[in-house]
Amino acid sequence: MTKLSDTQAIILSAAAQREDRIALPLPESLRGGAAAKVVGAMLAKNFLQEVDADMRIGEPVWRETGDGHGVTLVATNAGLAAIGIEPEDANAAPAGATDAPTEEPAPDTPTEPKASPKARTPREGTKQATLIAMLRAPDGATIEEIMAATGWQSHTVRSAMAGALKKKLGLEVTSEKVDGRGRVYRLPAA
């Protein structure tokens, strides 16, 4: 199965919830060159397709064609399948949004289950990987110890635990007061 980034999954999920399968608007955090890169990759993989935007009914425009017309982005059947949604009817695609026959990409491995967005792991050697390793140690880690190892300030350490670890990676960070050490934070062993 094709692996999707969190952003790609969000875009396709939002499009799947709309009757016309339009993928716009994109997430607010995705702007400029980053938006063009993500959309370009999704177009190349046939997850999205550019179709003429119906300006009369106010369809959002992805880009203008230069002749006073615009195109919008529509999730394809392949895009829906990538997030685990099978279209009820192959003919249910909006006008102009049929999937063009393309060569199917080779699966990563036939027995590999589809990874959920929360199954991501950080790259080795990053400060986030250091943070995770420290929290998985049997003794856990204090804010001060993490600050010394990463060079972060205390508010950055707390933000990384709440945002990157809890929200993005879905990890359960626990804490307890330990005599002589102060508050110690831990993650369950991997």
Side-chain angles (χ1 to χ4, degrees):
M1 279 202 179
T2 304
K3 290 186 180 181
L4 297 173
S5 71
D6 291 343
T7 304
Q8 290 173 331
I10 289 168
I11 291 169
L12 290 171
S13 295
Q17 294 175 18
R18 297 183 186 105
E19 187 175 325
D20 53 10
R21 297 195 323 197
I22 291 180
L24 298 175
L26 296 174
E28 295 222 6
S29 60
L30 193 62
R31 302 223 180 259
K37 186 173 182 178
V38 169
V39 169
M42 294 178 76
L43 289 168
K45 292 178 182 177
N46 195 33
F47 294 157
L48 293 178
Q49 183 176 20
E50 289 184 328
V51 298
D52 290 332
D54 189 347
M55 311 278 267
R56 294 173 294 173
I57 62 170
E59 283 185 345
V61 175
W62 163 243
R63 65 177 178 86
E64 292 185 14
T65 59
D67 58 0
H69 292 64
V71 295
T72 192
L73 299 170
V74 177
T76 63
N77 290 341
L80 295 180
I83 59 171
I85 298 175
E86 291 297 324
E88 293 176 13
D89 181 4
N91 298 327
T98 57
D99 290 335
T102 59
E103 185 177 316
E104 285 294 315
D108 295 334
T109 57
T111 58
E112 184 178 331
K114 183 175 180 182
S116 70
K118 299 223 180 221
R120 296 181 59 185
T121 56
R123 294 185 315 262
E124 293 297 317
T126 63
K127 290 181 181 182
Q128 186 179 29
T130 301
L131 171 64
I132 291 171
M134 291 180 76
L135 295 176
R136 286 206 169 127
D139 293 337
T142 65
I143 297 287
E144 292 77 20
E145 293 166 349
I146 297 167
M147 288 170 55
T150 62
W152 288 339
Q153 294 185 9
S154 62
H155 67 275
T156 307
V157 173
R158 288 184 183 90
S159 175
M161 286 192 287
L165 301 187
K166 284 185 178 180
K167 290 182 183 175
K168 289 193 177 180
L169 296 176
L171 299 174
E172 181 75 28
V173 179
T174 60
S175 73
E176 67 176 305
K177 199 104 161 144
V178 175
D179 290 334
R181 267 183 94 191
R183 183 145 310 268
V184 175
Y185 297 85
R186 289 187 178 88
L187 282 174

